[in-house]
Amino acid sequence: ELRMVESGGGLVQPGDALRLSCVVSGFTFSSWDMSWVRQAPGKGREWVSTINWSGDTTDYADSVKGRFTISRDNAKNTLYLRMNNLKPEDTAVYYCTKTVERQLPPRGQGTQVTVSS
């Protein structure tokens, strides 16, 4: 059974940092490009970042470029998202997904990130 378990979210102040993790199981993680998406209250899902299967190619939404860093550890079946200089507009539930499935409903429960002073 394919599983994705996100963690690392929380309530932080503007300018703070967080690192999200996503532990996956049930498929060969190292063979798949992976992405982070997010959904803010009352809004649709938004793509955040993508990393290729080997970790040497990344891409970011303009809204997070220069502040967020995606990475992966294929030995640990884990995807990461380092988020620096967080802004209130980053408030959302964050999900990891296979890149090819990023238009589909997320498989995991997500992790809530709230940025507020």
Side-chain angles (χ1 to χ4, degrees):
E1 178 187 359
L2 193 153
R3 292 192 67 201
M4 298 184 186
V5 181
E6 301 92 345
S7 63
L11 172 62
V12 297
Q13 294 186 339
D16 285 351
L18 283 173
R19 188 179 81 157
L20 307 184
S21 299
C22 173
V23 179
V24 310
S25 59
F27 67 101
T28 307
F29 177 69
S30 59
S31 296
W32 293 88
D33 296 353
M34 297 293 295
S35 292
W36 286 96
V37 298
R38 67 186 181 184
Q39 187 160 17
K43 296 186 177 180
R45 263 190 320 277
E46 175 190 18
W47 168 72
V48 175
S49 182
T50 291
I51 188 168
N52 77 326
W53 64 272
S54 64
D56 59 8
T57 302
T58 58
D59 196 13
Y60 299 91
D62 287 344
S63 58
V64 307
K65 199 170 291 184
R67 300 188 297 120
F68 289 12
T69 303
I70 190 171
S71 62
R72 65 191 298 160
D73 186 335
N74 286 343
K76 295 182 178 180
N77 283 358
T78 304
L79 181 71
Y80 302 100
L81 186 68
R82 173 69 179 184
M83 306 186 296
N84 293 331
N85 190 23
L86 282 159
K87 303 177 180 181
E89 51 263 43
D90 295 319
T91 295
V93 179
Y94 285 71
Y95 302 91
C96 65
T97 179
K98 291 181 179 179
T99 298
V100 295
E101 294 181 349
R102 73 183 197 191
Q103 304 293 339
L104 302 177
R107 295 179 182 267
Q109 84 289 346
T111 187
Q112 175 71 50
V113 173
T114 303
V115 186
S116 175
S117 55

